[in-house]
Amino acid sequence: LTTDENLIFKNIRKGHKSNIKWGKTNLELTTWRSIDDDHLIDVYYRLHEITHRYPGFNDPGFLKKCLHDKSIELTAAMHNGVEKSVIITGIDGKNAYYMSSIGTREGGDALAHWPLYNSMLECKKRNIENFDLGYVHPERIQDVDDKLHQISHFKRGFVSGASRHVWWVIERNFQDATF
């Protein structure tokens, strides 16, 4: 996020740019700012219920505490007065993290692009230096389901030149380890 906003936008995939522009024109974004915005917490849980997905924050009290502590941000997107999607961004000093989003996906509308890009821009305005989109599954891997590939394809569209890493996970018996 330390680069120029125009360069950030330039590095976004062409289709994503179009979806961001559509969202900017058609979606109204509302970000949780205080306890007066508790209805946005309800939107988060209602969208999970509608889409039959399990919320990452299963305790509304804990979600509210994190919002109040400013360790996360919650932004809801409305289309024609109807709640359509929510994005949650984690905040830790100079770093921000795309934690989750939920949307109704009705009519094929691109409901996540503008809220995510807007979250990136809002973080940039507050001098947050890094925006981590999270784990991206390799493009060609046999044992990852289609949904994870779609999420990874979505995330890849927000950056160019992302670095690829190979991660090894080694199981270790820490009870016998000496430090």
Side-chain angles (χ1 to χ4, degrees):
L1 298 179
T2 57
T3 61
D4 180 67
E5 184 177 323
N6 292 326
L7 184 58
I8 293 172
F9 191 73
K10 181 182 176 189
N11 286 322
I12 292 175
R13 183 185 304 135
K14 183 179 177 184
H16 277 32
K17 289 177 188 175
S18 175
N19 291 334
I20 288 167
K21 290 175 184 175
W22 178 89
K24 198 171 187 178
T25 302
N26 294 285
L27 298 174
E28 178 186 331
L29 301 183
T30 306
T31 300
W32 190 94
R33 300 281 182 221
S34 69
I35 18 182
D36 298 332
D37 300 327
D38 278 358
H39 71 283
L40 295 178
I41 294 172
D42 296 336
V43 169
Y44 173 77
Y45 289 103
R46 189 168 36 255
L47 286 173
H48 279 85
E49 187 176 310
I50 290 168
T51 59
H52 306 288
R53 288 181 50 202
Y54 186 79
F57 288 87
N58 60 359
D59 177 4
F62 181 67
L63 175 58
K64 187 173 181 174
K65 179 189 179 313
C66 291
L67 288 164
H68 183 71
D69 294 346
K70 299 184 186 215
S71 59
I72 65 167
E73 292 183 347
L74 181 151
T75 300
M78 313 283 264
H79 184 219
N80 296 327
V82 178
E83 302 138 345
K84 293 292 185 173
S85 68
V86 168
I87 179 173
I88 293 184
T89 305
I91 307 295
D92 181 25
K94 294 287 185 181
N95 301 299
Y97 306 89
Y98 170 58
M99 294 181 73
S100 70
S101 62
I102 181 78
T104 59
R105 299 178 55 123
E106 294 173 359
D109 293 332
L111 302 173
H113 297 77
W114 168 235
L116 177 55
Y117 184 63
N118 182 70
S119 179
M120 294 167 75
L121 295 180
E122 290 298 316
C123 288
K124 179 175 178 49
K125 285 178 190 174
R126 292 193 318 276
N127 296 317
I128 293 174
E129 296 174 0
N130 303 299
F131 196 99
D132 188 335
L133 293 169
Y135 183 75
V136 176
H137 291 275
E139 292 183 49
R140 309 228 189 280
I141 191 167
Q142 304 256 327
D143 61 346
V144 176
D145 67 25
D146 189 50
K147 181 177 179 178
L148 294 178
H149 274 295
Q150 290 175 11
I151 293 168
S152 294
H153 182 74
F154 170 74
K155 290 178 179 181
R156 263 191 227 94
F158 284 89
V159 295
S160 67
S163 61
R164 297 174 189 239
H165 301 279
V166 175
W167 297 91
W168 294 92
V169 178
I170 300 170
E171 188 174 330
R172 182 174 173 147
N173 179 353
F174 284 101
Q175 291 176 335
D176 299 332
T178 56
F179 297 97

